Amino acid sequence: MQDTSFELGGKKYKSRLIVGTGKYRDFAETRAAVEESGAEIVTVAVRRVNITDRGKENLLDYLDPKRYQILPNTAGCFTAEEAIRTCRLAREVGVGELVKLEVIGDQQTLFPDVAATLEAARVLVKEGFKVMPYVTDDPVTCLRLQEIGCVAVMPLAAPIGSGLGIRNPFNLAIIIEQAKVPVIVDAGVGTASDAAEAMELGCDGVLMNTAIAGAKDPLAMARAMKLAIEAGRLAYRAGRIERKLYATASSPLTGLIG
Amino acid sequence: MPGSIETSITLNGDPYPLDADTPLTSLLERLNMRRGRVAVEINREIVPKADYDATIVRVGDHVEIINFVGGG
């Protein structure tokens, strides 16, 4: 069954899995996990360079920007102003206009500050950024972000790093139904079935970091996630059966021995 | 201190010795940083890559140099 291609910010991708690069043992493990996952888009954080350790390797030496679409994030930003500044700096590194916008509203839950996210998105879209906002699983906010001109909306499944899976599939279903831009579940996925569930609901992709990096065997989990995304997508396109309360026999009721 | 001669810049939030105005490219070289891997702000203004060669870091400037690190 030939799938439609996944288009994001004017570029086509085969993989619908976007992976983060945080929490790995070292850059070599990061690269190996990214390769196993089959992801073509990888998120990175924007931070001050280490002045004291000048021999330190750079992440981009392990993830070639010619091969991977680098997606800088604004993780750790608590105001629209900080997020905008971070995006402007990230763009100047020279890997393109695609940015993952996240403006955090609360340290403990890492839930987004929706008002600040909308404010930052407006400015960034005007400045030519291709904005992918991390946002609460709220259909109205996702609509607003789409109207502003974001190239995707990225509702959370559950709090960042929680591994709780999809806590509100019904809201996600509404967001997917309303969206004219790709819907990417970002944050909260714990294991392969969570990723498959997101895809079965009709999401266009899933973004994850901790579920892979925090697994006992990150490389095996990266592969599991790749397969889950593909399986979930295929099941969505295949069209699942209706849920029924009672049994329907799979074997013929005629020709029984007796 | 009033009257004192500044001999540093503020680099990524910390004092960094710089006793004379220096081309940005020299500073990056001294720090062993490749221009394709970083972005630079001087006094809160982003320096476009095309301007690196002509940009002078002045004593007392606030300089931020960022790069990409692992993140989700």
Side-chain angles (χ1 to χ4, degrees):
Chain A
M1 194 175 188
Q2 188 67 38
D3 197 358
T4 51
S5 61
F6 171 44
E7 201 175 324
L8 188 67
K11 230 171 121 179
K12 285 181 180 169
Y13 301 93
K14 287 191 205 88
S15 170
R16 291 170 178 272
L17 174 57
I18 303 175
V19 294
T21 55
K23 300 182 184 172
Y24 287 99
R25 207 170 44 217
D26 50 36
F27 287 151
E29 190 186 56
T30 312
R31 174 166 62 193
V34 171
E35 271 178 21
E36 279 297 307
S37 76
E40 296 163 284
I41 307 171
V42 295
T43 60
V44 299
V46 179
R47 291 291 180 272
R48 286 170 160 170
V49 295
N50 189 335
I51 303 293
T52 47
D53 184 8
R54 288 176 212 168
K56 214 176 168 201
E57 291 172 305
N58 188 286
L59 179 60
L60 295 190
D61 297 333
Y62 284 79
L63 296 169
D64 183 0
K66 288 190 204 86
R67 178 172 168 198
Y68 296 104
Q69 173 65 54
I70 305 293
L71 175 59
N73 70 26
T74 63
C77 292
F78 280 78
T79 66
E81 193 193 2
E82 286 166 13
I84 293 163
R85 185 184 181 197
T86 301
C87 288
R88 288 172 180 158
L89 275 165
R91 176 158 68 179
E92 202 48 48
V93 177
V95 294
E97 274 81 36
L98 209 61
V99 287
K100 171 181 161 177
L101 172 65
E102 56 178 294
V103 188
I104 302 301
D106 171 56
Q107 184 69 60
Q108 192 179 13
T109 59
L110 297 181
F111 280 143
D113 182 326
V114 169
T117 303
L118 287 163
E119 186 190 336
R122 273 190 203 98
V123 174
L124 291 167
V125 167
K126 269 190 201 135
E127 292 186 10
F129 285 95
K130 292 170 180 167
V131 182
M132 300 170 64
Y134 154 73
V135 68
T136 325
D137 56 357
D138 170 43
V140 176
T141 305
C142 287
L143 268 186
R144 295 291 168 269
L145 287 163
Q146 178 178 296
E147 286 160 12
I148 285 169
C150 293
V151 298
V153 289
M154 304 207 291
L156 55 83
I160 294 172
S162 69
L164 286 174
I166 295 166
R167 299 202 303 181
N168 196 339
F170 304 104
N171 270 27
L172 276 183
I174 295 169
I175 291 167
I176 291 160
E177 198 178 289
Q178 292 177 333
K180 293 185 183 69
V181 294
V183 177
I184 294 159
V185 158
D186 178 7
V189 166
T191 188
S193 53
D194 297 335
E197 185 187 358
M199 297 310 292
E200 286 169 10
L201 282 168
C203 287
D204 296 278
V206 178
L207 193 164
M208 64 179 77
N209 190 156
T210 309
I212 297 175
K216 282 203 183 83
D217 184 341
L219 302 197
M221 188 58 90
R223 181 155 165 73
M225 290 300 186
K226 173 188 160 77
L227 297 172
I229 296 279
E230 285 170 10
R233 175 68 182 173
L234 195 56
Y236 167 72
R237 289 182 40 85
R240 59 154 299 150
I241 60 162
E242 292 297 317
R243 289 178 172 87
K244 287 177 292 234
L245 192 56
Y246 296 105
T248 351
S250 299
S251 308
L253 297 173
T254 53
L256 286 163
I257 306 157
Chain B
M1 272 178 290
S4 72
I5 301 160
E6 284 189 282
T7 56
S8 68
I9 56 171
T10 304
L11 179 57
N12 288 354
D14 291 318
Y16 181 84
L18 198 77
D19 48 18
D21 296 351
T22 306
L24 174 58
T25 47
S26 306
L27 178 64
L28 289 176
E29 263 169 47
R30 196 192 297 182
L31 293 167
N32 195 22
M33 280 161 200
R34 282 165 293 160
R35 59 168 76 192
R37 295 284 186 260
V38 298
V40 180
E41 241 185 29
I42 298 178
N43 303 326
R44 300 280 293 201
E45 293 283 330
I46 287 176
V47 185
K49 285 259 156 49
D51 295 351
Y52 276 22
D53 290 324
T55 299
I56 304 292
V57 179
R58 302 193 189 283
V59 173
D61 276 351
H62 285 252
V63 180
E64 291 282 345
I65 308 177
I66 63 89
N67 64 357
F68 293 145
V69 301

